[in-house]
């Protein structure tokens, strides 16, 4: 079952931020695609199965940013 979830990430301001978050989130097992809307601070993740907020939070933290509202 393919799942699409959108997260709000705080602190992204440039292309480097987008690349860092995309790379870390894409490394979560089961993730098929990551799309980042920089201006809105939104990260949309397509995965084989629902991801835990903890897994996404850890990946975003590793990139140096903060997952908001989860």
């Amino acid at each position: 079952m393919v799942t699409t979830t959108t997260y709000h990430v705080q602190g992204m301001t440039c292309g480097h931020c987008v690349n860092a978050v995309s790379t870390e989130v894409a490394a979560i097992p089961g993730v098929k695609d990551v799309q980042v809307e920089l201006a809105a601070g939104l990260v949309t993740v397509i995965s084989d199965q629902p991801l835990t907020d903890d897994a996404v939070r850890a990946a975003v933290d590793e990139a140096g940013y903060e997952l908001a509202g989860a």
Side-chain angles (χ1 to χ4, degrees):
M1 177 174 84
V2 175
T3 300
T4 301
T5 308
T6 300
Y7 302 91
H8 186 244
V9 175
Q10 296 178 333
M12 296 187 298
T13 59
C14 65
H16 171 77
C17 304
V18 170
N19 187 50
V21 170
S22 296
T23 299
E24 291 298 333
V25 173
I28 299 171
V31 170
K32 296 298 182 191
D33 191 30
V34 179
Q35 299 293 322
V36 178
E37 295 179 45
L38 178 60
L42 299 176
V43 177
T44 300
V45 182
I46 299 172
S47 58
D48 284 340
Q49 58 193 8
L51 302 174
T52 66
D53 287 343
D54 287 344
V56 176
R57 180 177 292 108
V60 171
D61 285 351
E62 183 66 24
Y65 302 94
E66 184 177 340
L67 188 66

